[in-house]
Amino acid sequence: MRDIPMFSTEHGVASLILREIVYKKEAYVRIHSSDEIDEFLKDVTGFCKAAGAERIYATGHSVLEGYPVHTVLVGMICKRSLLRRSDAVTVQVSDQTIDQWRELYNKRMSGVPNAATVTIADAKKFVAEGAAYFVFRENICIGLGKVSYNKIEAIISLVPGAGECVLLALNNLVSGEFVQVEVALNNDKAVKLYKRLGFEVVEEISKWYCI
Protein backbone atom coordinates (compact mmCIF):
# COMPACT_ATOMS: atom_id res chain seq x y z
CA MET A 1 0.00 0.00 0.00
CA ARG A 2 1.35 3.40 -0.98
CA ASP A 3 1.74 6.39 1.30
CA ILE A 4 -0.11 9.59 0.42
CA PRO A 5 2.27 12.59 0.71
CA MET A 6 -0.57 15.10 0.46
CA PHE A 7 -4.02 14.02 1.63
CA SER A 8 -6.45 16.93 1.62
CA THR A 9 -10.11 17.58 2.36
CA GLU A 10 -12.03 20.79 2.94
CA HIS A 11 -10.93 20.53 6.59
CA GLY A 12 -7.15 20.22 6.25
CA VAL A 13 -3.98 18.74 4.75
CA ALA A 14 -1.83 15.85 6.00
CA SER A 15 0.63 13.19 4.93
CA LEU A 16 -0.63 9.64 5.40
CA ILE A 17 1.88 6.84 6.02
CA LEU A 18 -0.09 3.76 5.03
CA ARG A 19 2.59 1.19 4.22
CA GLU A 20 2.47 -0.27 7.75
CA ILE A 21 -1.19 -1.22 7.31
CA VAL A 22 0.01 -4.22 5.30
CA TYR A 23 2.41 -5.37 8.00
CA LYS A 24 1.06 -4.08 11.33
CA LYS A 25 -2.44 -2.74 10.64
CA GLU A 26 -1.09 0.70 11.63
CA ALA A 27 -1.40 4.09 9.90
CA TYR A 28 0.47 7.30 10.69
CA VAL A 29 -0.85 10.81 10.06
CA ARG A 30 1.39 13.88 9.90
CA ILE A 31 -0.91 16.92 9.98
CA HIS A 32 0.33 19.93 8.01
CA SER A 33 -2.57 22.35 8.44
CA SER A 34 -6.19 22.39 9.57
CA ASP A 35 -8.64 25.07 10.63
CA GLU A 36 -11.23 22.46 11.61
CA ILE A 37 -9.10 19.84 13.26
CA ASP A 38 -11.88 17.77 14.82
CA GLU A 39 -13.57 17.34 11.45
CA PHE A 40 -10.25 16.68 9.76
CA LEU A 41 -9.40 13.94 12.25
CA LYS A 42 -12.69 12.30 11.34
CA ASP A 43 -11.69 12.54 7.68
CA VAL A 44 -8.28 10.94 8.13
CA THR A 45 -9.35 8.25 10.59
CA GLY A 46 -12.25 7.28 8.34
CA PHE A 47 -9.94 7.01 5.35
CA CYS A 48 -7.27 5.03 7.24
CA LYS A 49 -9.80 2.61 8.69
CA ALA A 50 -11.30 2.06 5.26
CA ALA A 51 -7.79 1.24 4.05
CA GLY A 52 -7.48 -1.44 6.75
CA ALA A 53 -5.82 0.34 9.68
CA GLU A 54 -6.76 -0.87 13.15
CA ARG A 55 -4.49 1.60 14.96
CA ILE A 56 -3.93 5.20 13.88
CA TYR A 57 -1.29 7.58 15.23
CA ALA A 58 -0.98 11.29 14.49
CA THR A 59 1.39 14.20 15.01
CA GLY A 60 1.58 17.87 14.02
CA HIS A 61 -1.26 19.68 15.84
CA SER A 62 -1.68 21.02 19.37
CA VAL A 63 -5.17 19.54 19.75
CA LEU A 64 -3.58 16.08 19.71
CA GLU A 65 -2.22 16.77 23.19
CA GLY A 66 -5.65 15.78 24.46
CA TYR A 67 -5.14 12.26 23.09
CA PRO A 68 -3.08 9.42 24.64
CA VAL A 69 0.62 9.54 23.75
CA HIS A 70 1.77 6.63 21.62
CA THR A 71 5.46 7.42 21.52
CA VAL A 72 8.00 10.23 21.61
CA LEU A 73 10.92 10.01 19.18
CA VAL A 74 14.11 11.73 20.30
CA GLY A 75 17.58 12.26 18.89
CA MET A 76 20.59 11.34 21.02
CA ILE A 77 24.29 11.99 20.42
CA CYS A 78 27.58 10.88 21.89
CA LYS A 79 31.17 11.86 21.22
CA ARG A 80 32.64 8.97 19.25
CA SER A 81 35.92 9.09 21.14
CA LEU A 82 34.06 8.19 24.35
CA LEU A 83 32.96 4.85 22.91
CA ARG A 84 35.43 2.01 23.15
CA ARG A 85 36.34 0.00 20.07
CA SER A 86 34.64 -3.33 19.55
CA ASP A 87 36.27 -6.60 18.55
CA ALA A 88 33.18 -7.42 16.49
CA VAL A 89 33.39 -7.33 12.70
CA THR A 90 30.93 -5.62 10.35
CA VAL A 91 30.11 -7.20 6.98
CA GLN A 92 28.35 -5.15 4.35
CA VAL A 93 25.12 -6.63 3.02
CA SER A 94 25.15 -7.75 -0.62
CA ASP A 95 22.59 -8.72 -3.24
CA GLN A 96 23.04 -12.31 -2.07
CA THR A 97 22.45 -11.61 1.63
CA ILE A 98 19.94 -8.76 1.65
CA ASP A 99 16.89 -11.03 1.85
CA GLN A 100 18.26 -12.63 5.02
CA TRP A 101 19.09 -9.21 6.48
CA ARG A 102 15.61 -7.88 5.67
CA GLU A 103 13.88 -10.91 7.19
CA LEU A 104 15.85 -10.65 10.43
CA TYR A 105 15.38 -6.88 10.58
CA ASN A 106 11.61 -7.00 10.17
CA LYS A 107 11.23 -9.83 12.66
CA ARG A 108 13.24 -8.06 15.37
CA MET A 109 11.78 -4.60 14.77
CA SER A 110 8.13 -5.65 14.50
CA GLY A 111 7.44 -4.74 18.12
CA VAL A 112 9.52 -1.55 18.28
CA PRO A 113 7.38 1.63 18.46
CA ASN A 114 7.30 3.60 15.18
CA ALA A 115 9.83 1.29 13.51
CA ALA A 116 9.20 1.13 9.76
CA THR A 117 9.08 -2.23 8.01
CA VAL A 118 11.79 -2.64 5.37
CA THR A 119 10.28 -3.41 1.97
CA ILE A 120 12.03 -5.15 -0.92
CA ALA A 121 12.51 -1.75 -2.59
CA ASP A 122 13.99 -0.34 0.62
CA ALA A 123 16.38 -3.28 0.87
CA LYS A 124 17.65 -2.85 -2.70
CA LYS A 125 18.28 0.83 -1.96
CA PHE A 126 20.25 -0.05 1.17
CA VAL A 127 22.48 -2.40 -0.85
CA ALA A 128 23.09 0.28 -3.48
CA GLU A 129 23.99 2.81 -0.77
CA GLY A 130 26.20 0.36 1.12
CA ALA A 131 24.26 1.22 4.28
CA ALA A 132 23.24 -2.18 5.72
CA TYR A 133 25.51 -4.50 7.72
CA PHE A 134 25.71 -7.76 9.60
CA VAL A 135 27.77 -7.77 12.79
CA PHE A 136 29.86 -10.85 13.64
CA ARG A 137 31.82 -11.78 16.74
CA GLU A 138 33.85 -14.97 16.85
CA ASN A 139 32.20 -16.06 13.59
CA ILE A 140 28.72 -15.75 15.07
CA CYS A 141 26.24 -13.22 13.69
CA ILE A 142 25.26 -11.21 16.77
CA GLY A 143 23.36 -8.38 15.12
CA LEU A 144 22.69 -6.08 12.22
CA GLY A 145 22.45 -2.41 11.56
CA LYS A 146 22.17 0.47 9.16
CA VAL A 147 24.39 3.55 9.07
CA SER A 148 24.68 6.81 7.15
CA TYR A 149 27.51 9.29 7.63
CA ASN A 150 27.42 10.16 11.37
CA LYS A 151 24.16 8.40 12.22
CA ILE A 152 23.39 4.83 13.22
CA GLU A 153 19.87 4.39 11.85
CA ALA A 154 19.26 0.85 13.10
CA ILE A 155 20.81 -1.27 15.85
CA ILE A 156 19.53 -4.82 16.18
CA SER A 157 20.81 -7.48 18.53
CA LEU A 158 20.33 -11.12 17.52
CA VAL A 159 21.95 -12.49 20.68
CA PRO A 160 20.82 -11.60 24.23
CA GLY A 161 23.07 -8.90 25.68
CA ALA A 162 24.84 -8.15 22.38
CA GLY A 163 23.29 -4.70 21.85
CA GLU A 164 26.29 -2.79 23.19
CA CYS A 165 28.75 -4.76 21.07
CA VAL A 166 26.64 -4.23 17.95
CA LEU A 167 26.41 -0.48 18.57
CA LEU A 168 30.16 -0.17 19.16
CA ALA A 169 30.92 -2.10 15.97
CA LEU A 170 28.61 0.12 13.92
CA ASN A 171 30.20 3.20 15.50
CA ASN A 172 33.41 2.29 13.68
CA LEU A 173 31.62 2.85 10.37
CA VAL A 174 30.30 6.37 10.89
CA SER A 175 32.13 9.65 10.31
CA GLY A 176 32.48 12.86 12.28
CA GLU A 177 33.19 13.72 15.88
CA PHE A 178 29.75 12.70 17.15
CA VAL A 179 27.50 9.73 16.47
CA GLN A 180 23.72 10.11 16.39
CA VAL A 181 20.84 7.72 17.07
CA GLU A 182 17.07 8.07 17.14
CA VAL A 183 14.97 6.18 19.67
CA ALA A 184 11.44 6.01 21.02
CA LEU A 185 11.44 6.94 24.71
CA ASN A 186 9.20 3.98 25.51
CA ASN A 187 11.86 1.66 24.09
CA ASP A 188 13.27 1.41 27.62
CA LYS A 189 15.98 -1.15 26.92
CA ALA A 190 17.52 0.87 24.08
CA VAL A 191 17.32 4.17 25.98
CA LYS A 192 19.07 2.68 29.02
CA LEU A 193 21.83 1.26 26.84
CA TYR A 194 22.46 4.55 25.06
CA LYS A 195 22.51 6.56 28.28
CA ARG A 196 24.88 4.09 29.92
CA LEU A 197 27.29 4.50 27.00
CA GLY A 198 27.21 8.29 27.28
CA PHE A 199 24.52 9.33 24.79
CA GLU A 200 22.45 12.39 25.65
CA VAL A 201 19.05 13.50 24.38
CA VAL A 202 19.49 16.64 22.28
CA GLU A 203 16.12 17.02 20.55
CA GLU A 204 12.55 15.83 20.42
CA ILE A 205 11.97 14.75 16.84
CA SER A 206 8.27 14.01 17.00
CA LYS A 207 5.47 13.04 19.38
CA TRP A 208 2.78 10.66 18.15
CA TYR A 209 -0.69 10.32 19.65
CA CYS A 210 -3.28 7.55 19.47
CA ILE A 211 -6.39 8.81 17.69
Side-chain angles (χ1 to χ4, degrees), residues 93 97-112 115-118 123 133-136 140-145 154-159:
V93 171
T97 59
I98 188 59
D99 288 341
Q100 180 188 12
W101 186 94
R102 175 175 173 262
E103 181 180 355
L104 289 169
Y105 178 99
N106 287 339
K107 182 178 180 181
R108 291 288 180 170
M109 297 294 274
S110 62
V112 176
T117 302
V118 172
Y133 293 84
F134 290 102
V135 179
F136 287 85
I140 297 173
C141 185
I142 63 170
L144 20 135
I155 302 165
I156 297 145
S157 171
L158 300 178
V159 176

Side-chain angles (χ1 to χ4, degrees), residues 78-102:
C78 181
K79 200 167 185 177
R80 292 185 62 215
S81 60
L82 296 178
L83 300 173
R84 64 178 177 82
R85 295 190 65 84
S86 171
D87 60 353
V89 177
T90 54
V91 178
Q92 195 170 29
V93 171
S94 65
D95 289 329
Q96 290 70 41
T97 59
I98 188 59
D99 288 341
Q100 180 188 12
W101 186 94
R102 175 175 173 262

